[in-house]
Amino acid sequence: RTACDRGKRRPTRGARNSRDGTRGAVASCMQTQRLTESPEGGKTTGIVRQFLVSLAATVVFVTIVLVSAGRVMVWQAWVYAGISLGLNLAQRVILSANPELAQERAKPGADARGSDKALLGLGFLLTLAMLLTAGLQLRPTEPPSLSMAWFFAGVLLELAGAFLFLWALRENTFFSAVVRIQSDRRHIVCTTGPYRVVRHPGNLGMILGMLGFPLLFQSTWSFVPAGLSVVVLLVRTHLEDALLTR
């Protein structure tokens, strides 16, 4: 064979490296596409999206307090923001280990009761009222109506409520954001963890947080919407019990 023939049959080292590099690039691209299109990747994206939504809500809530107070240096609001941020982060960590629950809480089934949705909307409006009244009572011309001792009591109630809520969320894989029988997920009643002692530990945690809110902000005005929020949550709990016992 001539040297030319041998060159045709045996590619040079540079050509081989080039083809190997092309194959590697193609393989890497295909692997990236598989990861992006995989269910796990989609679920992770959903959890991140939920965290961003929760973070945006916290920003809006703190902004309501600051605007109604007419100043930025409302340290109670920043303490509240820190607790809320920690709660949101802990929720995402728990939900990342339970994708089905994350999906349920992000997009509950269509069979959620209309009365429960109405109560959720009312609770949201009362939350806005709590933030607004707290800010108005923290204006520069208005000294705090409660002492620092009550502030620390409020922080403890907020932290205790957040812990109880997160414990219930971790323990109960059917901890939906709405009241419904999750037949599509073979719904069963949870009886482990805090559910061995309290029937609705998540709701109890939220009640503790609502009661701690006026104390944390040292605002007596906020007790009115906070108390109404507790009543609304108790009504939701009663309706959930009635549904579960049918």
Side-chain angles (χ1 to χ4, degrees):
R1 298 187 188 132
T2 65
C4 183
D5 292 335
R6 287 196 298 271
K8 291 180 180 178
R9 292 178 178 273
R10 179 176 297 178
T12 63
R13 181 178 299 177
R16 289 198 302 272
N17 291 341
S18 177
R19 284 203 299 268
D20 291 342
T22 301
R23 293 195 192 100
V26 172
S28 176
C29 181
M30 293 177 64
Q31 183 178 6
T32 302
Q33 184 177 4
R34 285 195 299 269
L35 289 174
T36 303
E37 295 176 351
S38 65
E40 290 77 9
K43 291 172 183 176
T44 301
T45 303
I47 292 174
V48 172
R49 187 183 300 112
Q50 292 173 39
F51 170 73
L52 293 177
V53 171
S54 299
L55 180 61
T58 299
V59 172
V60 171
F61 288 171
V62 173
T63 301
I64 291 174
V65 175
L66 299 181
V67 171
S68 58
R71 56 195 176 105
V72 176
M73 295 307 297
V74 180
W75 54 269
Q76 295 93 332
W78 297 112
V79 172
Y80 173 79
I83 295 175
S84 298
L85 179 60
L87 176 61
N88 291 336
L89 285 172
Q91 284 189 69
R92 299 319 138 196
V93 171
I94 293 173
L95 293 176
S96 65
N98 193 339
E100 287 189 5
L101 178 57
Q103 178 66 22
E104 169 62 29
R105 291 189 64 82
K107 294 182 179 180
D111 57 342
R113 299 172 65 88
S115 58
D116 187 63
K117 292 181 178 179
L119 290 173
L120 277 174
L122 179 58
F124 177 74
L125 293 177
L126 289 172
T127 298
L128 297 180
M130 289 165 59
L131 297 163
L132 182 63
T133 52
L136 290 175
Q137 202 166 9
L138 288 173
R139 289 174 296 178
T141 56
E142 298 286 341
S145 56
L146 297 173
S147 66
M148 285 297 298
W150 289 112
F151 162 78
F152 288 114
V155 171
L156 290 177
L157 280 175
E158 288 282 347
L159 293 176
F163 173 78
L164 192 55
F165 177 87
L166 293 171
W167 190 9
L169 183 68
R170 183 179 181 275
E171 195 71 28
N172 186 3
T173 191
F174 300 101
F175 194 166
S176 179
V178 297
V179 175
R180 77 181 191 94
I181 299 297
Q182 301 170 47
S183 304
D184 52 321
R185 300 180 60 215
R186 299 181 180 179
H187 193 169
I188 60 173
V189 176
C190 182
T191 58
T192 58
Y195 290 88
R196 291 178 297 182
V197 181
V198 183
R199 187 173 177 86
H200 298 280
N203 290 357
L204 177 59
M206 287 188 282
I207 289 175
L208 292 178
M210 292 171 185
L211 295 177
F213 181 94
L215 301 178
L216 186 153
F217 280 93
Q218 300 174 279
S219 169
T220 53
W221 295 356
S222 295
F223 274 110
V224 175
L228 293 175
S229 296
V230 171
V231 172
V232 169
L233 188 53
L234 290 175
V235 172
R236 287 191 66 210
T237 303
H238 173 72
L239 294 177
E240 182 177 2
D241 271 338
L243 181 65
L244 292 174
T245 53
R246 286 181 182 175

